[in-house]
Amino acid sequence: MANTLHPAKVLLLAVHFAQHADIDSLSILTSTHTTIIHDEILLRILLTHLPETERPAAYVGFLQQLVDHSFEPCQLTGLDTSPVNSIDDNEAVKRATKLHLLPLVCQNPPEIAQGDALSRFLFLRIHQMNEETGMLAQLLDLLLPFGRHSPGIHKWAMSTVIPYVRKGLQYRAGTSLAYSLIEFEKLPDHQAVDFLLCPVDSRAQPRENVDHDLRSIIGPWVYDTDRWENSSEDGESSRVFCPGWHKVCEWFLSQATLSWPTAVQAIERWGGPEDVKFGHGIALDLPAAHRYYLRQTYATTVLACVYGVQEATLESLRRLHSILMNLRVYLGLNGGTMSLEETMKVLPGLSSTDIAVFHNDRVATYMRNDLLGQNNPLTRPSEGATNLLLALTRSAYILTLFGSPSSPRRVGDLTFLHDERDQRSEISKLLRTIAIQASKENDDFLLKAREFLLWLRDWGHGTAGKPTAGAATAGALGMLSKEYVEAEFLKLLLSRERYTLARNLYDGGGPVRLPVEVVQDSVYESALSAFDNATNPNRSRGGLKRCDEIIHALPKTVGLSLPGTKRIIALLKATHALSDYRLVLKQGEPFSPVVLRVHSDPIFIIEKVLGQNPRAYTRLQEFLEMGMNMVRAGLPSYRKLDSPTLLTTDSELNLAAYIAERRITAMCIKAALKEDDFETAYSYVASRLSMQSPENSDTSPWAVVDEWSWKAALQAGQYIRTERSQQPTHLGTASGNLEIRHLEQRIECLATALRVAPTSQLQEILKSFRRCEEQLDSAIKEEAANELALGEEAKVDNLPGAFDQVNVEQQYPVRNMTASIAAQQTEEAPMSLFDLSRATARAAQRNFTAIPSLQSITRGADANNNEDEGGSLSRIRKRDQLREAATGTLVSGVGWLIGANVGQNKEETS
């Protein structure tokens, strides 16, 4: 019965079996009616009516039999033809003509479109299943058994379907893909790469198994030669280019910048473009030119990623160093398996020829622009490029290890921008961290640190001097000379009290040969740095103790006889002398030694000490020594003399010492008067301020006027005793009357003020002098009157045996009275200024011939005057002597002011 079926009924029956997925019945029907149901019509029936949900395993064998034409003959006796038995032949024909079977037509890819019917069926069936069911795993179940059926199906399955299905299988159940298979095939290359590499879970950082995506998804996808382009440049041989692969390289670089662990992990776990997983026993291959392009661009990408990583940690640098070493092996260069720490133990040198090509002004811009470009020398795979990047990575490791976190790109900027200031700042950071770590480490750590610093400078070149203008940069710190690096390291040793190591390296016959001046300057700078950081002015502790130790650390090179050493020792002595006193310059801030060194007028600090420490003025000699040490230390003794050329000659030193001595003496006088100790102030005026300046102000390099001595003497001369004034401890030959004694001392102070004061101040001082003299005359007369009254009360003439009364005042001069006859006989008014000047000029010549300013007058004195007044010379009072001294000074110096004429006096006496 079945053998006599009308052809139309055979078609209708085949459609029925396909709709119900009765593959066995369809197979029997097909094997017995091959002339009616040929291959293409059968595939169209399956494409149109076979349910998409039917598992491929149910009909893959049937398709293979169809392709191989290997249907086994069978009887149709068991075939169920009931679906068409009730239909007459004409009706069957009508229904058959209305089947509208889908055509086996596709336009792309060309290899499939022009292939056999099965290839076209598989292509259409895969898309049909994907759009209707989305069961990705079943796509491969249908396609892979026919992977070798035709080249078109083979390439399409390996480079398109497999990457798409593997990507889709990463999503969780219930999550749909962004694109269907047919939409994915139409995507531009850059969008396709974004889809294939997009993370399934964006929260996972770094991405896990990203190497799997590269190996199993991107790798097969790139192996489709239809995605490649060929181009020729200037008639040269054609170049290949893959836009999709270039997008993959850009993805690597972006990940290195944004999420370096993802990029580094991918490079570590993926073996490169050759590491592709096709699976299922089939694979694709590429032409040699394509493979070479992939290798070179992959190496460029790895180098670019290292420059792109901004993370500055020891872990990131270790991993970057590892992938660079592996890259050298990948490129067939000398590589190795040494870790970064092992490599840094031997500090391999970098030959200057390896990086000669990188010495131009644009190198720094190459690290930021077009890292993936073929014309970028930094990322073009070569011996030099990899060696340079290794040197940058190792330099970054050293900088990060010593507290200056750096990436290879940052080291590149430091290296190729040629900014000496930045490099000096960088080595300062390193030295600070090394200094901190050195306190917990032994000398081996410091010696290794020194090796690292020198290696950073030249990367093992061994060049000593600083690069000349236009010369190639030697290393990360190549703008610094070797002497500078060694000097900074010496300062580090001294600051951390590693004096033995410093002596072994730099003193005298040490292995490090540095100019003597460099070593000396380093020692002095370190000593002053310790001084500036000191908080206690005591020389036996803290920063001052370290300063003292540093000065003596290198005795062969830095001797105690050197001027610089003497200055620092003097500075230490001056500062230590202040430790015995209470001193606060600002409220709430204790005195720090650095204040003394940076103060514009350090002598002023002594004034603060005198004001804050009672009776400190009694230690004048100690303060004078302190001031002299300040001068020897090169500190300005007067702010108007604050000049970088101070104390370069003996005359300058003498002038500064003179100024310091005068100022300190004046300070002590004022401090004594402030505490009502006139006796001490007077003794300082009499013993310290009577000498003249050793410098001639007309020939001195600075026009300095002693503005301190005359003010102090004047202040002492104007002092009036009160109840708080301290009493004299002894009188000596002075008057027993304390008031007269005090006035005489005041006149002496005023006389000193007249001698040292500038001309413009004489008038004011003379007024004080005159008032004091008036008071003294009054006091003397009062004392004389009291003594006469006391004599009357004694009534000597009434005593038994007494002689005739004799005028005691005539026989015995009143104690300490002047020889002036007028003062003994009459109550004269005090002499006027001009009478004082003229009348006492000759007396001053007799009594003060030792004073240099009066010698000219003494030599011109009249001999007769000496004879006439010789008898009364021994009785001249001290008050008159002082007056005569002051007058003599006026006559010889400022006679024009008071109308005196020295020459006229000489004529009169002649």
Side-chain angles (χ1 to χ4, degrees):
M1 178 75 181
N3 292 331
T4 60
L5 287 175
H6 190 276
K9 291 185 176 180
V10 172
L11 290 177
L12 293 176
L13 189 59
V15 169
H16 175 76
F17 290 152
Q19 288 176 339
H20 292 79
D22 189 353
I23 302 302
D24 293 339
S25 298
L26 182 61
S27 176
I28 296 173
L29 182 65
T30 302
S31 64
T32 57
H33 296 83
T34 55
T35 57
I36 299 174
I37 309 176
H38 54 79
D39 293 353
E40 185 165 349
I41 196 67
L42 178 60
L43 293 173
R44 292 179 64 189
I45 292 172
L46 292 174
L47 181 65
T48 306
H49 296 285
L50 184 64
E52 289 82 3
T53 58
E54 184 66 20
R55 293 184 176 277
Y59 58 91
V60 165
F62 171 72
L63 293 176
Q64 290 176 339
Q65 291 177 351
L66 179 64
V67 173
D68 298 337
H69 301 285
S70 58
F71 291 111
E72 296 181 359
C74 57
Q75 299 296 326
L76 297 179
T77 55
L79 187 64
D80 183 10
T81 60
S82 59
V84 296
N85 287 338
S86 61
I87 304 175
D88 60 17
D89 292 345
N90 292 329
E91 182 66 21
V93 172
K94 290 181 181 180
R95 292 185 179 183
T97 56
K98 296 180 181 179
L99 288 177
H100 300 295
L101 300 177
L102 296 174
L104 297 179
V105 176
C106 62
Q107 297 180 354
N108 290 308
E111 296 92 337
I112 297 178
Q114 299 172 6
D116 61 352
L118 180 61
S119 297
R120 285 178 278 133
F121 168 79
L122 291 173
F123 180 82
L124 296 172
R125 180 67 178 178
I126 290 294
H127 285 94
Q128 189 182 65
M129 293 172 61
N130 175 251
E131 292 176 357
E132 296 297 331
T133 67
M135 295 184 293
L136 297 176
Q138 294 186 17
L139 301 183
L140 297 181
D141 292 341
L142 173 61
L143 190 59
L144 290 178
F146 303 97
R148 292 185 176 88
H149 175 74
S150 69
I153 287 293
H154 180 213
K155 184 172 68 174
W156 180 67
M158 293 297 100
S159 62
T160 301
V161 179
I162 285 181
Y164 177 80
V165 170
R166 287 174 175 171
K167 180 63 180 180
L169 292 177
Q170 294 179 350
Y171 289 86
R172 297 188 300 271
T175 305
S176 60
L177 288 173
Y179 305 103
S180 65
L181 178 59
I182 192 169
E183 292 173 338
F184 170 69
E185 291 176 302
K186 294 178 181 179
L187 289 176
D189 288 341
H190 67 279
Q191 292 186 17
V193 171
D194 288 339
F195 167 69
L196 294 176
L197 286 176
C198 68
V200 176
D201 185 2
S202 60
R203 296 171 298 177
Q205 292 294 339
R207 289 176 55 184
E208 294 293 334
N209 301 323
V210 66
D211 58 303
H212 173 268
D213 295 347
L214 295 168
R215 185 181 298 108
S216 303
I217 299 176
I218 291 296
W221 185 83
V222 170
Y223 270 58
D224 186 354
T225 55
D226 291 340
R227 298 189 175 96
W228 290 68
E229 300 175 359
N230 292 326
S231 62
S232 60
E233 297 180 354
D234 301 330
E236 297 179 357
S237 60
S238 61
R239 295 178 58 253
V240 295
F241 177 72
C242 181
W245 171 248
H246 185 72
K247 181 62 179 180
V248 174
C249 297
E250 291 179 344
W251 175 87
F252 265 107
L253 185 56
S254 66
Q255 291 299 311
T257 304
L258 301 176
S259 176
W260 73 269
T262 298
V264 172
Q265 177 179 289
I267 296 172
E268 290 173 338
R269 297 181 180 180
W270 188 39
E274 297 92 341
D275 184 11
V276 182
K277 180 182 179 181
F278 293 100
H280 313 288
I282 55 179
L284 289 177
D285 197 8
L286 286 174
H290 293 59
R291 293 196 302 271
Y292 178 78
Y293 168 82
L294 288 176
R295 289 180 63 87
Q296 293 297 107
T297 52
Y298 172 70
T300 295
T301 302
V302 174
L303 294 173
C305 287
V306 176
Y307 282 110
V309 172
Q310 298 301 305
E311 185 76 9
T313 62
L314 295 178
E315 178 191 359
S316 65
L317 294 172
R318 292 188 190 102
R319 296 176 68 178
L320 292 179
H321 184 269
S322 177
I323 64 177
L324 287 174
M325 296 295 286
N326 292 334
L327 179 64
R328 287 181 59 83
V329 176
Y330 180 81
L331 293 174
L333 305 174
N334 294 328
T337 59
M338 293 179 62
S339 66
L340 180 56
E341 286 80 0
E342 293 172 340
T343 303
M344 297 311 293
K345 289 181 180 179
V346 296
L347 286 176
L350 179 63
S351 172
S352 59
T353 58
D354 292 339
I355 58 173
V357 69
F358 306 110
H359 297 313
N360 59 70
D361 296 336
R362 294 192 56 193
V363 173
T365 63
Y366 284 140
M367 290 189 296
R368 288 176 171 77
N369 302 317
D370 198 20
L371 282 171
L372 297 176
Q374 294 183 349
N375 296 324
N376 191 325
L378 295 178
T379 56
R380 186 186 302 123
S382 65
E383 178 86 15
T386 54
N387 278 340
L388 173 64
L389 193 48
L390 280 172
L392 295 176
T393 304
R394 292 163 182 168
S395 299
Y397 173 79
I398 294 176
L399 295 179
T400 305
L401 185 66
F402 290 144
S404 181
S406 302
S407 63
R409 177 187 289 186
R410 181 177 181 274
V411 178
D413 288 337
L414 194 66
T415 303
F416 297 117
L417 290 179
H418 310 293
D419 193 324
E420 183 176 355
R421 183 174 59 181
D422 284 350
Q423 294 186 11
R424 286 177 180 267
S425 174
E426 197 64 31
I427 197 172
S428 296
K429 295 179 185 177
L430 299 181
L431 290 168
R432 283 195 294 269
T433 305
I434 293 172
I436 295 173
Q437 297 178 3
S439 59
K440 303 177 182 178
E441 303 287 347
N442 54 24
D443 287 350
D444 293 338
F445 168 79
L446 290 170
L447 291 173
K448 192 63 179 179
R450 173 177 169 272
E451 289 185 44
F452 281 160
L453 295 177
L454 293 176
W455 186 87
L456 281 176
R457 182 191 156 272
D458 58 18
W459 285 340
H461 292 179
T463 54
K466 177 179 176 180
T468 57
T473 303
L477 302 177
M479 295 301 294
L480 308 179
S481 66
K482 184 177 181 181
E483 289 182 0
Y484 178 82
V485 177
E486 293 282 12
E488 293 300 307
F489 187 74
L490 172 57
K491 296 174 188 176
L492 164 66
L493 295 180
L494 296 175
S495 67
R496 303 315 298 177
E497 303 180 22
R498 299 299 179 92
Y499 307 125
T500 302
L501 181 58
R503 280 192 295 272
N504 293 337
L505 289 176
Y506 300 101
D507 193 23
V512 181
R513 304 295 183 181
L514 285 178
V516 174
E517 296 79 8
V518 174
V519 177
Q520 292 174 354
D521 291 343
S522 300
V523 171
Y524 295 150
E525 186 174 341
S526 299
L528 292 177
S529 177
F531 180 91
D532 293 342
N533 291 320
T535 58
N536 193 313
N538 194 307
R539 187 176 181 177
S540 61
R541 63 183 66 177
L544 263 64
K545 181 176 180 291
R546 286 195 297 274
C547 177
D548 190 35
E549 292 172 348
I550 291 172
I551 286 297
H552 297 83
L554 306 179
K556 296 181 181 178
T557 309
V558 185
L560 299 180
S561 60
L562 295 176
T565 307
K566 292 180 178 179
R567 283 194 295 269
I568 295 179
I569 291 176
L571 180 63
L572 288 173
K573 290 180 178 179
T575 309
H576 179 75
L578 291 172
S579 64
D580 296 332
Y581 301 95
R582 178 183 178 274
L583 176 59
V584 177
L585 297 181
K586 291 184 179 180
Q587 187 67 29
E589 294 184 13
F591 172 75
S592 298
V594 67
V595 176
L596 177 64
R597 201 167 78 86
V598 302
H599 203 284
S600 61
D601 186 16
I603 300 295
F604 174 75
I605 296 177
I606 297 179
E607 184 174 348
K608 289 289 186 180
V609 173
L610 293 170
Q612 298 175 18
N613 297 267
R615 293 192 60 79
Y617 59 85
T618 60
R619 305 167 73 173
L620 173 62
Q621 189 58 42
E622 182 177 324
F623 288 115
L624 291 176
E625 182 65 24
M626 187 187 305
M628 192 60 199
N629 282 324
M630 291 180 183
V631 171
R632 295 190 185 105
L635 304 180
S637 60
Y638 185 41
R639 53 180 171 269
K640 293 183 179 179
L641 300 182
D642 189 6
S643 169
T645 59
L646 274 178
L647 310 183
T648 57
T649 64
D650 291 340
S651 62
E652 295 167 355
L653 178 63
N654 292 337
L655 176 63
Y658 167 74
I659 292 174
E661 180 182 358
R662 286 293 170 137
R663 289 189 63 193
I664 293 171
T665 303
M667 290 175 183
C668 288
I669 292 172
K670 293 180 180 180
L673 295 175
K674 187 176 181 180
E675 297 187 34
D676 294 300
D677 188 357
F678 175 79
E679 295 295 326
T680 301
Y682 163 74
S683 67
Y684 290 162
V685 173
S687 62
R688 297 285 181 175
L689 300 185
S690 60
M691 64 185 72
Q692 294 291 333
S693 170
E695 294 287 341
N696 187 345
S697 60
D698 296 333
T699 60
S700 174
W702 303 278
V704 178
V705 177
D706 184 358
E707 61 184 59
W708 312 280
S709 299
W710 70 267
K711 288 181 180 180
L714 175 61
Q715 186 174 348
Q718 293 175 338
Y719 179 82
I720 300 176
R721 295 179 72 254
T722 65
E723 295 179 355
R724 297 187 304 273
S725 300
Q726 297 185 27
Q727 298 298 322
T729 57
H730 65 280
L731 297 178
T733 60
S735 172
N737 188 320
L738 295 182
E739 184 63 27
I740 294 176
R741 179 179 185 275
H742 177 68
L743 291 170
E744 290 175 345
Q745 290 174 333
R746 284 180 56 192
I747 288 180
E748 188 173 352
C749 292
L750 292 171
T752 302
L754 285 170
R755 293 180 57 252
V756 297
T759 304
S760 60
Q761 303 295 329
L762 292 179
Q763 190 71 14
E764 185 67 26
I765 299 173
L766 284 171
K767 291 179 181 179
S768 298
F769 189 97
R770 179 179 176 181
R771 287 193 297 270
C772 186
E773 186 184 40
E774 291 173 353
Q775 296 172 9
L776 178 60
D777 286 338
S778 175
I780 290 175
K781 291 175 182 178
E782 182 179 355
E783 183 186 37
N786 291 337
E787 289 184 359
L788 288 174
L790 183 61
E792 286 295 330
E793 292 178 1
K795 295 182 179 180
V796 177
D797 55 336
N798 296 328
L799 292 177
F803 298 96
D804 293 339
Q805 183 176 359
V806 182
N807 192 327
V808 178
E809 186 176 0
Q810 294 178 358
Q811 183 69 26
Y812 303 101
V814 179
R815 178 175 48 173
N816 291 327
M817 290 185 64
T818 181
S820 174
I821 300 174
Q824 294 179 9
Q825 296 179 352
T826 63
E827 292 290 333
E828 294 180 356
M831 300 177 69
S832 67
L833 174 63
F834 298 101
D835 293 337
L836 171 68
S837 302
R838 292 188 178 96
T840 60
R842 286 191 291 273
Q845 296 168 15
R846 294 194 303 273
N847 292 287
F848 288 87
T849 57
I851 299 178
S853 61
L854 303 179
Q855 289 178 358
S856 59
I857 300 178
T858 303
R859 288 191 297 267
D862 183 57
N864 296 329
N865 292 333
N866 291 336
E867 294 175 358
D868 295 340
E869 300 182 6
S872 60
L873 180 61
S874 60
R875 294 179 294 166
I876 295 178
R877 294 177 302 174
K878 189 172 185 179
R879 181 272 309 245
D880 297 318
Q881 294 174 355
L882 296 173
R883 180 177 61 184
E884 291 161 1
T887 307
T889 302
L890 291 175
V891 172
S892 62
V894 291
W896 58 271
L897 181 62
I898 59 178
N901 190 317
V902 178
Q904 182 179 350
N905 292 339
K906 291 181 180 180
E907 294 175 1
E908 292 176 359
T909 56
S910 60

